[in-house]
Amino acid sequence: MDDFIAARSQMALSLGFHIIFSCIGMVMPFFMAVSHYYWLKTDQIVYKNVTKAWSKGVAIFFATGAVSGTVLSFELGLLWPEFMKHAGPIFGMPFSLEGTAFFIEAIALGFFLYGWDRFNKWFHWFTGVIVGVSGLASGILVVAANAWMNSPAGFDFVNGQYLNIDPIAAMFNKAWFSQALHMTIAAFVATGFAVAGVHALMIMRGQNVLFHTKSFKIAAIFGCAAAILQPLSGDISAKDVAVRQPAKLAAMEAHFHTEKSASLILGGIPDEANKEVKYAIKLPGFLSFLAHGDFETEVTGLDKIPAENHPPVAITHYAFQIMVGMGMAMMGISLVYFLALWKKRDWLTSKWLLKLFVFATPLGFIAVEAGWTVTEVGRQPWIIYNVMRTADAVTPMPGIAYSFYLFTGVYISLAIFVVFMLYRQIKMVGTLYDKE
């Protein structure tokens, strides 16, 4: 493994690990706040138990996310010094604000965890809401920085110099809204389905059924509502990418030839040598419609883009197909669940519905990982789109491969530790709260 691939692999590993904890940190506090609100309004002890149990999970994920996020910030400077040298002064504002949001989140979480029976009950609840709001703001600000890499703004690039820097314009670039919206909804989908799936499994096992039923309903409603909204944000993102990054869209769809009434491709195996997709289902005109809102509009193919600027087609295409496939599966489950809430109440206690949620437990996070693969791999070979190539930004320091192996070991160990802690927490729920 050469140093360039090692540097990219290390960033991919770090980002892929951290994004899971970021999603949970953005969303779980809202679940916690809802259950806490129900306890304050109904005085049902089960909601207090749910709130306390979830708050411990939030604390575990917050601590792990803080560690992995700190590593990521160091890696930007260590692995990509040329990038940070020029980009830091331009898109540093969202990172600085993200740091502020992180500190607010940490303080509010401390107040919430240690505020039971010490604060006014509504102030205590409000600190939990602040944990969620600041966590959500933190995630959106990081996405704004990434969006800048896909849609550079806020500077003039003249003779290799970055002039007339405007941090506000950089932060609110043309991609920030669509990316932030898509990522925020994805976080609710992934976390909602993961939490609902765990509680569905506990219900099926007959462990503390009331506790897990209340928990399942809160998580499922959040996750299912977000899953139904996600295709709308996906459509906004696709139309945005079609205009700003036609090479990425072409790679996502393995669209090799520029044409009008372009076909939407489902599945298939891209053959880059022969510029075709084998074994795919093609829907004529639908790519034109999804990208530009018209069935006849021309869609730029890879043949209009210089070969040296082509993203890796196969990886981008497969990741996009996985993301869409997982999203459609969760949307289908969501429609079934809301039908059960509306018309078929007897379905809510059926094992087949619970099994659907257990099956869907990892789907949201698989979709999130695939979506970030599309975002990052689809931008290649650029680290700043159409401005700086990734190969020109990497550190000249040798031995990056050893760093990659080391960090891989660290992240695997950390993942095992987190799984162990969560397993213990879930096991404790069945005994501790039954005794109250």
Side-chain angles (χ1 to χ4, degrees):
M1 179 184 293
D2 64 41
D3 288 337
F4 177 57
I5 296 299
R8 288 185 62 189
S9 299
Q10 184 170 324
M11 281 299 298
L13 174 70
S14 301
L15 179 61
F17 185 86
H18 179 68
I19 196 63
I20 295 174
F21 301 101
S22 295
C23 288
I24 296 170
M26 291 166 66
V27 173
M28 274 295 291
F30 290 104
F31 297 0
M32 187 176 73
V34 169
S35 63
H36 194 179
Y37 177 81
Y38 283 157
W39 175 60
L40 294 176
K41 296 297 289 185
T42 67
D43 206 32
Q44 294 183 38
I45 192 66
V46 64
Y47 286 118
K48 181 181 180 181
N49 294 341
V50 170
T51 305
K52 284 190 170 183
W54 277 348
S55 68
K56 292 176 182 178
V58 168
I60 292 170
F61 284 113
F62 177 83
T64 312
V67 172
S68 58
T70 302
V71 170
L72 265 174
S73 63
F74 279 114
E75 284 179 345
L76 279 172
L78 293 173
L79 299 179
W80 313 102
E82 194 65 22
F83 167 70
M84 290 304 295
K85 173 185 174 182
H86 298 291
I90 305 172
F91 79 153
M93 178 174 285
F95 275 131
S96 300
L97 294 175
E98 190 274 336
T100 303
F102 172 79
F103 284 123
I104 293 173
E105 182 182 7
I107 294 168
L109 181 59
F111 278 3
F112 186 82
L113 292 175
Y114 296 101
W116 290 99
D117 304 320
R118 292 181 175 88
F119 295 142
N120 172 277
K121 63 180 184 179
W122 286 107
F123 176 77
H124 184 221
W125 172 81
F126 182 69
T127 62
V129 174
I130 293 298
V131 174
V133 172
S134 55
L136 190 62
S138 180
I140 290 173
L141 287 164
V142 170
V143 171
N146 179 266
W148 178 84
M149 298 164 68
N150 289 304
S151 181
F155 66 98
D156 295 324
F157 188 61
V158 181
N159 297 325
Q161 299 293 315
Y162 296 77
L163 307 174
N164 302 321
I165 293 173
D166 183 349
I168 299 296
M171 184 166 66
F172 295 108
N173 56 79
K174 292 182 179 179
W176 86 270
F177 176 76
S178 61
Q179 280 197 213
L181 177 66
H182 198 57
M183 183 61 220
T184 299
I185 296 176
F188 275 92
V189 175
T191 307
F193 270 87
V195 174
V198 170
H199 290 295
L201 181 61
M202 295 299 105
I203 294 170
M204 291 177 63
R205 290 180 175 178
Q207 298 180 6
N208 203 352
V209 174
L210 178 62
F211 173 94
H212 289 294
T213 299
K214 299 295 187 182
S215 305
F216 169 81
K217 185 175 182 180
I218 293 171
I221 288 176
F222 268 106
C224 290
I228 292 172
L229 292 174
Q230 187 68 307
L232 300 177
S233 73
D235 181 66
I236 293 171
S237 294
K239 286 180 167 59
D240 179 63
V241 168
V243 173
R244 292 185 302 95
Q245 294 177 292
K248 179 183 285 188
L249 180 69
M252 287 160 57
E253 283 294 329
H255 185 60
F256 290 103
H257 305 288
T258 301
E259 59 182 350
K260 294 183 177 180
S261 192
S263 297
L264 180 69
I265 293 177
L266 304 179
I269 300 174
D271 182 350
E272 296 184 57
N274 296 311
K275 310 299 182 187
E276 62 179 357
V277 184
K278 298 178 180 178
Y279 316 116
I281 299 172
K282 297 185 178 182
L283 304 178
F286 274 83
L287 180 57
S288 293
F289 176 75
L290 291 176
H292 301 291
D294 182 87
F295 284 98
E296 300 295 327
T297 302
E298 181 177 275
V299 178
T300 302
L302 290 167
D303 58 344
K304 285 284 186 74
I305 298 163
E308 64 271 18
N309 293 338
H310 286 188
V313 176
I315 295 175
T316 308
H317 176 70
Y318 293 142
F320 180 67
Q321 296 291 310
I322 290 170
M323 179 185 70
V324 172
M326 298 297 101
M328 295 304 294
M330 289 183 289
M331 186 177 73
I333 294 172
S334 300
L335 292 172
V336 171
Y337 181 68
F338 282 125
L339 178 61
L341 286 175
W342 180 41
K343 287 282 190 180
K344 304 286 186 179
R345 305 289 297 184
D346 56 308
W347 289 3
L348 296 175
T349 55
S350 62
K351 284 193 174 181
W352 64 265
L353 183 63
L354 294 173
K355 285 180 179 179
L356 282 178
F357 277 93
V358 173
F359 164 77
T361 299
L363 298 189
F365 285 112
I366 293 173
V368 167
E369 298 286 3
W372 274 102
T373 299
V374 171
T375 298
E376 295 302 292
V377 176
R379 190 181 61 245
Q380 300 307 312
W382 306 99
I383 191 168
I384 307 175
Y385 187 65
N386 280 340
V387 175
M388 178 186 289
R389 290 181 177 269
T390 309
D392 296 332
V394 72
T395 178
M397 182 178 68
I400 300 300
Y402 299 107
S403 174
F404 168 66
Y405 299 140
L406 174 63
F407 274 86
T408 300
V410 170
Y411 281 129
I412 291 174
S413 302
L414 195 56
I416 293 171
F417 174 75
V418 170
V419 170
F420 172 72
M421 292 292 291
L422 290 175
Y423 176 76
R424 283 191 61 187
Q425 177 62 22
I426 293 169
K427 290 282 285 184
M428 287 173 61
V429 164
T431 56
L432 179 62
Y433 296 126
D434 269 345
K435 295 177 182 177
E436 293 191 3

